[in-house]
Amino acid sequence: MPDSEPRVVHGACPHDCPDTCALRVTVQGGRVVRVQGDPDHPPTHGALCNKVSRYPERTHSPDRVLHPRKRSGPKGSGRFARIGWDEALDTIAARLRAIAARDPQAVVPYSYAGTMGLVQGEGMALRFFHKLGASLLDRTICSSAGGEALAATYGGKIGMHLEHYAESRLIVIWGSNSITSNLHFWTFAQQAKRAGAKLWCIDPRRTETAEKCHRHLAPLPGTDGALALSLMHELVANRWLDDDYIERHVEGFAALRERALAWPPERAAAECGLQADDIRELARDYGTVQPAAIRLNYGMQRVAGGGNAARLIALLPCLTGAWRHRAGGLLLSASGWFKGVRGDAALYRPDLLAGRRPRTINMSTIGDDLLREASPAFGPRIEALVVYNSNPVAVAPQSARVVQGFAREDLFTVVLEHFMTDTADHADIVLPATTQPEHLDVHVSYGHTYAMWNEQAIAPLGEAKPNAQIFRELAARMGYTEPCFADDDEALARTALPGVDFDVLRRDGWVRLALPDAPFADGHFQTPTGKVPVDAPGLGVPDYVPPYEGERSALAARYPLAMISPPARNFLNSSFVNVASLREAEREPLLEMHPDDAAARGIADGALVEVFNERGRYHCRASVGARARRGVVNGLGVWWRKFGLRGTNVNELTSQRLTDIGRAPTFYDCRVEVRPA
Ligand code: SF4
């Protein structure tokens, strides 16, 4: 669609970020010339983050994969030859057909939130894999511990409206560097701050957000559950509870009360590495200021007890009655609010399994699972991986195992990608996928309550195709004749959101869900009883679960430092690492260290260091200063391995052990030692 006059179309940011911004995409001459935030969309209010403002640079990058490629060197060498689409699709179909004839479960799809779009995400892909009978994928890598904890508490991934934080009098930002990863929430928090609200930040790292809050608590990683119990201790001891709200809307509070009374601030302070008086001050603020809002984010749940900790924190506003106000309560995810307007079964077609019940592979243990032999417990050895919207070689934990698995010469790997990522380097066939302005999509959000429209702005570049089209063509090659494989992208979009007025969505770029302002002011949680269960079915009463690799673990003597690996400011998981201007802004992979920890090891600011534990070693540059608390180092991620120093990234060190709830990875539950390199 060449055009000489500039024109503006509605877009939606596809990235794994709670803000799901509305974009205004300016197109001229078949190119995206500018991407801006839509000023009319209330959550976006005209602002974009630094990363997505550079979207034209990303879409039109000379590094884009624009033709199918076939491996021409050893696995991981990055050597490929250009091939045509026919050869690529015929090769893939022949291999998948042969493997499926033995056992289709030996084929594993691997995908996550490289795009959050419902069409180009799983729209056609899951139909394809369901029809094939491939293994199912447990998509746990980011949020399932907190997500399942929230669902066990409120009945769904539901919470406050983003905009109402502007009216809060107290905001506790827990486990989130909002300025980097939830910018549009931060705007509302700033409005509240200007109107006199007090802001607390709870984060082991002194982030950009922590610096701008009135108070910052930096607990040791994985101890948030102890802190939450101690806050409850103070609420009980000082009678800062809303007895009426508890009586009417919380089931089984007595057991939680008893548990909380075992956690006076002195005990929690010792466990969390905090001062007891600071815990008391936070509890006093939380118990006496209304409306009080918590913005919880997923950083705190990437530890052994992440699920229990999220349950405990989610209970706090139920004890103080903060939910009575629209500016009180908690938001971890809003995605459950969209349940009523989505058409998941019609979109993903699990009925195509036709009674088969394939095994499930957890994406967070892909390193181990790629190396497993066939067994009655595991099922067939993994023979083929189809990767889309994900870069597991960079982002999955314990890289050494992941790389070893991807390097298997007998593994047939297909990667749909925009760029030659670490994962694409390990592919047998790479298929060029379109970026967001090159295709149509619809989105829901996990940070606000607007369904979003993304118009195709330009024709696909080179020979790139939308994911849905690639799976459509693969289905045809496999001989699948069900009419659902002929659905075009607009049909998929309509199927994805049957409860949304499609004409309004397309015209305006978004549709706000019709929801009450203060959804739990009078209870009505989405649990079977409508009340919040303290003793949740199958989970019991939440408790503090210490980290696997905490200060008292056997590993602590050999590896005295705890490490977390939050995202570098200019990256979003592993996306944008290859955008030159953003990578130049980050310069090099960094390990933030407290001056005392650095001095004890003879490490100066800017020195090259080796970070190591029993799983691996990683080289990066020390950044000595106030961002790290004593005893904790921050390995900023997620660099692509090939852009890292000596071809590694921080996931060399992280483990494949899983959380208490949600089968999620424990990236931030990781002990290390550091020495000059
Ligand atoms: S990454 Fe987040 S803040 Fe940036 S444009 Fe996308 S949705 Fe908005």
Side-chain angles (χ1 to χ4, degrees):
M1 50 183 85
D3 35 10
S4 49
E5 290 300 311
R7 85 195 150 83
V8 178
V9 299
H10 287 301
C13 176
H15 288 286
D16 187 1
C17 169
D19 297 20
T20 321
C21 288
L23 310 179
R24 285 192 176 173
V25 181
T26 307
V27 177
Q28 189 171 21
R31 291 179 66 86
V32 177
V33 293
R34 189 188 285 180
V35 175
Q36 295 166 291
D38 192 330
D40 297 334
H41 181 232
T44 306
H45 47 73
L48 295 183
C49 65
N50 194 32
K51 298 168 283 243
V52 172
S53 316
R54 314 283 177 96
Y55 224 78
E57 187 185 341
R58 188 174 186 274
T59 287
H60 296 287
S61 165
D63 299 333
R64 277 284 300 279
V65 176
L66 292 178
H67 308 95
R69 298 178 183 190
K70 180 178 169 183
R71 180 164 66 93
S72 60
K75 285 260 170 130
S77 65
R79 294 217 299 274
F80 288 86
R82 177 175 173 176
I83 57 172
W85 271 104
D86 282 342
E87 181 183 348
L89 294 175
D90 286 344
T91 305
I92 297 166
R95 286 295 291 270
L96 296 188
R97 212 180 288 116
I99 295 168
R102 293 189 291 279
D103 188 337
Q105 298 176 100
V107 177
V108 175
Y110 197 102
S111 65
Y112 200 65
T115 174
M116 301 283 290
L118 298 179
V119 174
Q120 310 305 342
E122 304 297 341
M124 187 58 81
L126 281 187
R127 292 180 178 187
F128 179 84
F129 291 112
H130 286 150
K131 173 70 183 172
L132 183 67
S135 289
L136 305 175
L137 186 71
D138 200 3
R139 291 178 170 80
T140 56
I141 203 158
C142 179
S143 61
S144 57
E148 291 189 17
L150 204 63
T153 312
Y154 305 153
K157 293 167 78 170
I158 46 182
M160 283 177 63
H161 293 278
L162 172 68
E163 296 95 318
H164 296 161
Y165 280 90
E167 302 161 15
S168 304
R169 300 294 298 163
L170 177 82
I171 301 178
V172 181
I173 301 171
W174 199 321
S176 171
N177 183 4
S178 309
I179 291 175
T180 291
S181 57
N182 194 188
L183 182 64
H184 295 80
F185 156 75
W186 181 247
T187 305
F188 292 111
Q190 288 289 95
Q191 286 177 26
K193 190 179 174 193
R194 283 196 291 275
K198 185 170 179 182
L199 270 55
W200 282 80
C201 181
I202 301 174
D203 196 315
R205 178 173 183 246
R206 188 157 180 81
T207 61
E208 296 87 344
T209 307
E211 279 173 346
K212 292 189 166 53
C213 289
H214 296 97
R215 300 281 280 117
H216 173 214
L217 290 187
L220 291 166
T223 63
D224 302 70
L227 177 57
L229 279 165
S230 194
L231 295 177
M232 286 181 194
H233 176 282
E234 291 300 281
L235 297 179
V236 172
N238 292 288
R239 304 190 59 79
W240 291 325
L241 301 171
D242 184 332
D243 294 323
D244 174 62
Y245 194 91
I246 294 171
E247 172 69 26
R248 290 194 294 130
H249 306 306
V250 179
E251 290 174 319
F253 174 61
L256 184 64
R257 181 179 187 281
E258 191 181 325
R259 197 151 274 180
L261 287 175
W263 282 94
E266 281 71 19
R267 182 181 175 199
E271 186 67 22
C272 303
L274 297 173
Q275 298 297 317
D277 281 347
D278 290 340
I279 297 175
R280 283 197 188 88
E281 184 185 338
L282 171 58
R284 187 182 316 112
D285 282 352
Y286 190 70
T288 60
V289 178
Q290 294 278 12
I294 298 173
R295 181 58 171 101
L296 184 61
N297 214 340
Y298 289 109
M300 47 67 62
Q301 45 100 71
R302 297 190 176 119
V303 293
N308 268 276
R311 284 183 68 200
L312 288 164
I313 296 165
L315 282 161
L316 285 167
C318 308
L319 306 185
T320 59
W323 285 117
R324 290 182 189 274
H325 310 264
R326 73 176 195 171
L330 176 143
L331 178 64
L332 171 60
S333 173
S335 63
W337 288 127
F338 293 89
K339 211 168 157 190
V341 299
R342 293 179 61 153
D344 286 2
L347 182 63
Y348 302 137
R349 297 294 305 269
D351 56 298
L352 292 167
L353 285 167
R356 296 167 294 177
R357 302 180 68 172
R359 64 157 174 210
T360 298
I361 296 290
N362 187 338
M363 68 189 309
S364 301
T365 55
I366 191 66
D368 280 350
D369 289 341
L370 281 174
L371 299 173
R372 268 187 233 287
E373 296 298 332
S375 72
F378 181 61
R381 190 161 205 233
I382 298 174
E383 293 187 59
L385 264 182
V386 182
V387 182
Y388 51 103
N389 306 329
S390 186
N391 181 10
V393 172
V395 304
Q398 205 175 354
S399 299
R401 301 281 290 169
V402 181
V403 171
Q404 197 184 341
F406 271 83
R408 273 177 44 200
E409 280 294 331
D410 64 330
L411 179 72
F412 178 63
T413 304
V414 179
V415 176
L416 284 62
E417 250 307 344
H418 305 142
F419 299 101
M420 290 306 292
T421 61
D422 293 332
T423 306
D425 281 347
H426 287 79
D428 293 280
I429 304 269
V430 181
L431 300 177
T434 45
T435 63
Q436 188 77 340
E438 300 163 76
H439 56 229
L440 177 153
D441 218 328
V442 289
H443 290 249
V444 295
S445 173
Y446 63 97
H448 62 62
T449 48
Y450 294 74
M452 308 292 293
W453 172 257
N454 182 76
E455 184 77 49
Q456 181 183 354
I458 58 171
L461 298 180
E463 294 182 11
K465 297 184 192 226
N467 285 354
Q469 178 64 14
I470 295 174
F471 284 107
R472 207 175 278 127
E473 293 185 21
L474 262 180
R477 289 291 204 292
M478 298 288 285
Y480 300 161
T481 54
E482 285 81 355
C484 70
F485 290 109
D487 284 352
D488 64 15
D489 286 1
E490 183 171 329
L492 291 172
R494 287 180 185 273
T495 306
L497 292 174
V500 170
D501 186 323
F502 205 75
D503 295 333
V504 174
L505 183 65
R506 182 172 239 167
R507 185 194 67 207
D508 296 347
W510 65 83
V511 170
R512 188 170 199 244
L513 298 182
L515 297 168
D517 260 6
F520 311 129
D522 198 20
H524 303 298
F525 292 91
Q526 291 188 353
T527 54
T529 60
K531 296 185 177 189
V532 169
V534 168
D535 189 351
L539 297 176
V541 178
D543 203 351
Y544 170 55
V545 177
Y548 293 124
E549 302 190 4
E551 298 229 300
R552 283 197 281 280
S553 69
L555 283 171
R558 269 184 295 155
Y559 304 111
L561 298 167
M563 187 189 77
I564 59 171
S565 42
R569 183 169 185 166
N570 290 286
F571 303 155
L572 199 163
N573 303 326
S574 75
S575 297
F576 300 102
V577 179
N578 62 312
V579 175
S581 61
L582 296 171
R583 193 171 66 254
E584 278 155 20
E586 290 297 331
R587 300 201 333 208
E588 284 185 300
L590 295 181
L591 185 82
E592 295 171 347
M593 296 188 80
H594 188 274
D596 292 352
D597 291 329
R601 292 162 178 79
I603 293 168
D605 185 36
L608 185 65
V609 293
E610 182 180 74
V611 196
F612 61 98
N613 62 17
E614 59 193 3
R615 291 178 285 270
R617 58 196 60 236
Y618 165 54
H619 292 88
C620 56
R621 200 66 69 182
S623 174
V624 179
R627 291 248 184 257
R629 61 156 287 162
R630 199 177 284 113
V632 180
V633 291
N634 312 318
L636 305 187
V638 180
W639 282 76
W640 292 9
R641 292 165 61 83
K642 60 180 160 192
F643 291 128
L645 305 176
R646 306 192 187 174
T648 56
N649 75 12
V650 72
N651 282 320
E652 287 289 321
L653 306 166
T654 54
S655 94
Q656 294 181 74
R657 293 184 81 172
L658 301 177
T659 51
D660 52 347
I661 297 171
R663 310 157 308 284
T666 52
F667 288 112
Y668 296 0
D669 193 336
C670 177
R671 293 208 83 76
V672 300
E673 179 54 297
V674 186
R675 60 187 166 216

